[in-house]
Amino acid sequence: MQVTETLNDGLKRGYAITVTAAELDAKVNEKLVEAQPEVEMKGFRKGKVPMALLKKQFGQRLMGEAMQESIDGAMSDHFEASGDRPAMQPEVKMTNEDWKEGDDVNVEMSYEALPDIPEVDLSGITLERLVVKADDAAIDETLTSLAENAQDFSSRKKGNKAIDGDQVVMDFVGKVDGEAFEGGSAEDYPLVLGSNSFIPGFEEQLVGSKAGEEKDVTVSFPEDYQAEHLAGKEAVFSCTIKDVKKPVAAEIDDELAKKYGAEDLDGLKTRISEQLEGEYSGAARAVMKRALLDQLDNIVSFDLPPSLVDAEAKQIAHQLWHEDNPEVEGHDHPEIETTDEHKELAERRVRLGLLLAELGQKAEVEVTDAEMSQAIMQQARQYPGQERQFFEFVQQNQQMQQQLRAPLFEDKVVDHIVENASVTDKDVSKDDLQKAVEALEDDDS
């Protein structure tokens, strides 16, 4: 077998591979010898079919297998010997299309090699980690929000009119064409005005109502209403208002804390503090990660495989186009042209992706099965009731597994770099952290 270099331009590589007819014939014979003991044929005992007859019967079919195995073997040997790592699947084509049995096989292989990644002195990287403590004001703000969510309602003074946000307790009977319909009646029903839990237009007509009042509410069911016999039809609801109640926030005390699973108010405050500082820490990590990637992008330079950059630029352009055209859900749209801006962003992503992959490999960073399972379960929660089906789908889909593994791997590599870098903590306010996060979002837009 002969492998001859035909192209070596930057990262582009080309090779001519020749598999001789003798090598192919030997490989076919090897396969026949291996299969002979199990072959049965009329007129011969099992394992006693003559080699010449086997070759006549199965040789042509085995020739294709031998050809593919020889080419695959030559490629594997080449990559092992050269140390090249193809950026994408190599392009392989047979050049002697008029090939017939007894001829050599001539193949051209071309690919773009992944570049050599320069060493990075991680100790020379300097980072600033923003630190925000959960102050009393932030804790009190969260407590107030929790109290509002745990609100109750108390009756307004007799004669007071209902306003948006009030709870109206009522009996009602709904009729279409003068006939009551199933599910259209209730007694002592508590409806919060402005909750949009009833048919559009219903709640607005009860604003201004008073306890003891009877009121007819006329609405039309939406055209796409789930009950087809009511869809698009006008209905009149005869309502008897029994009480009008105003919202009252829960008291911030031990009882509120128990509603949220804490033993007492101090315990709830501690939990809120930990939760807030966890959120602050996550936001601060995102800010520091961007600063780290910016530094790496500035200090490391190497050639990039054009195919990877082009593929990434197309993906970026496609994603941004769909963000600008959210009404288009599928891919039935005109071809999207990539711009210099897309290419510039693609170059950064490819460069950093290759660099982080190299650093992770050298540091022997791995994503554990437990980490993968946790990531899959987090994704599965987005599909209530279908968690098991989603889990099984991911287990059978290598591409989906890679999509979930990639960010986990990247985060672990970032953690590795941070551990070896020079990191200084800086105490800042919540507002300062928010501004830093907003700056990240502005850069992404």
Side-chain angles (χ1 to χ4, degrees):
M1 189 179 304
Q2 297 176 344
V3 180
T4 307
E5 185 177 79
T6 58
L7 176 65
N8 190 331
D9 181 13
L11 297 175
K12 294 182 178 180
R13 302 285 187 271
Y15 294 89
I17 301 174
T18 300
V19 182
T20 66
E23 288 173 308
L24 283 176
D25 191 57
K27 201 163 192 67
V28 170
N29 288 336
E30 180 183 323
K31 287 179 170 294
L32 289 172
V33 169
E34 184 179 339
Q36 189 179 30
E38 301 300 323
V39 176
E40 296 184 59
M41 193 176 290
K42 189 175 180 179
F44 298 95
R45 285 181 295 153
K46 181 179 179 181
K48 298 300 182 179
V49 181
M51 187 63 67
L53 192 56
L54 283 177
K55 194 167 189 177
K56 182 178 180 181
Q57 182 79 8
F58 303 108
Q60 192 169 5
R61 188 176 70 189
L62 292 176
M63 180 64 74
E65 293 180 14
M67 197 180 296
Q68 187 63 55
E69 288 178 9
S70 296
I71 295 169
D72 289 346
M75 291 170 59
S76 178
D77 291 345
H78 162 72
F79 288 126
E80 186 175 348
S82 67
D84 277 355
R85 294 173 298 163
M88 298 182 77
Q89 185 68 26
E91 183 179 339
V92 180
K93 61 180 180 180
M94 193 169 170
T95 55
N96 51 337
E97 296 178 358
D98 57 348
W99 178 88
K100 60 183 181 300
E101 193 170 346
D103 290 346
D104 294 344
V105 175
N106 299 320
V107 171
E108 281 185 359
M109 175 178 67
S110 58
Y111 60 90
E112 290 172 4
L114 288 174
D116 292 326
I117 311 295
E119 292 283 342
V120 179
D121 180 10
L122 300 183
S123 64
I125 295 174
T126 58
L127 298 169
E128 188 175 72
R129 177 165 42 213
L130 305 182
V131 179
V132 180
K133 296 296 183 184
D135 56 20
D136 291 341
I139 294 173
D140 289 343
E141 182 182 342
T142 303
L143 281 172
T144 300
S145 177
L146 292 177
E148 289 174 352
N149 290 336
Q151 70 182 6
D152 203 349
F153 293 89
S154 65
S155 297
R156 288 191 178 275
K157 291 181 180 179
K158 189 175 181 180
N160 280 11
K161 295 181 178 180
I163 63 174
D164 208 34
D166 281 356
Q167 185 187 76
V168 173
V169 181
M170 61 180 175
D171 297 341
F172 62 84
V173 177
K175 296 180 180 180
V176 172
D177 297 329
E179 295 289 333
F181 57 89
E182 186 178 352
S185 303
E187 294 182 354
D188 296 321
Y189 190 93
L191 174 64
V192 177
L193 303 184
S195 64
N196 297 319
S197 56
F198 268 33
I199 304 167
F202 190 106
E203 295 168 24
E204 291 87 341
Q205 295 179 54
L206 291 179
V207 172
S209 59
K210 297 180 292 186
E213 182 180 356
E214 294 186 354
K215 187 177 182 67
D216 284 347
V217 174
T218 302
V219 292
S220 293
F221 285 97
E223 294 290 343
D224 58 352
Y225 193 66
Q226 57 187 5
E228 294 182 5
H229 65 289
L230 298 175
K233 292 190 176 180
E234 185 179 86
V236 178
F237 289 83
S238 299
C239 304
T240 301
I241 311 301
K242 303 175 105 172
D243 201 358
V244 174
K245 298 182 177 183
K246 63 182 178 182
V248 179
E251 292 292 328
I252 298 177
D253 54 17
D254 289 345
E255 288 304 312
L256 175 68
K258 290 175 182 177
K259 285 184 179 180
Y260 286 99
E263 290 187 4
D264 51 29
L265 186 57
D266 287 340
L268 181 58
K269 287 182 177 180
T270 299
R271 181 185 298 178
I272 291 171
S273 176
E274 292 172 350
Q275 182 179 346
L276 288 174
E277 290 186 2
E279 293 173 0
Y280 298 152
S281 177
R285 186 186 188 283
V287 173
M288 185 173 65
K289 179 180 177 181
R290 172 59 65 85
L292 167 61
L293 295 179
D294 287 345
Q295 277 195 55
L296 292 174
D297 193 36
N298 287 329
I299 65 177
V300 178
S301 178
F302 48 85
D303 290 338
L304 301 175
S307 59
L308 288 185
V309 174
D310 289 344
E312 185 67 26
K314 289 178 181 177
Q315 184 174 339
I316 291 170
H318 193 264
Q319 179 182 345
L320 293 176
W321 187 90
H322 274 283
E323 289 178 4
D324 292 336
N325 299 272
E327 71 281 359
V328 182
E329 296 183 0
H331 302 290
D332 185 18
H333 51 68
E335 185 175 350
I336 301 167
E337 296 292 333
T338 56
T339 65
D340 290 341
E341 186 178 356
H342 296 146
K343 186 176 180 182
E344 184 178 346
L345 180 55
E347 288 175 347
R348 171 187 165 95
R349 288 188 182 179
V350 170
R351 183 182 302 111
L352 290 173
L354 293 175
L355 175 59
L356 292 176
E358 182 77 6
L359 291 172
Q361 185 178 10
K362 288 183 177 178
E364 298 182 350
V365 172
E366 291 184 356
V367 177
T368 65
D369 291 342
E371 289 166 336
M372 272 297 292
S373 295
Q374 185 178 3
I376 294 172
M377 290 309 299
Q378 287 177 345
Q379 287 285 322
R381 292 192 187 101
Q382 298 180 18
Y383 307 93
Q386 298 179 308
E387 290 89 349
R388 181 176 179 181
Q389 293 93 316
F390 179 83
F391 202 92
E392 292 174 350
F393 167 73
V394 173
Q395 286 183 319
Q396 298 168 6
N397 190 310
Q398 289 291 334
Q399 185 177 359
M400 189 67 181
Q401 289 179 33
Q402 182 55 30
Q403 288 177 2
L404 292 173
R405 181 179 283 106
L408 296 177
F409 177 81
E410 180 177 295
D411 280 344
K412 294 188 76 169
V413 175
V414 167
D415 289 340
H416 165 72
I417 298 172
V418 170
E419 287 173 6
N420 290 275
S422 176
V423 182
T424 304
D425 288 345
K426 179 181 179 182
D427 292 330
V428 298
S429 68
K430 182 179 71 171
D431 291 341
D432 289 335
L433 176 59
Q434 181 62 32
K435 289 176 183 177
V437 172
E438 289 173 354
L440 290 186
E441 294 171 350
D442 290 341
D443 288 343
D444 289 337
S445 60

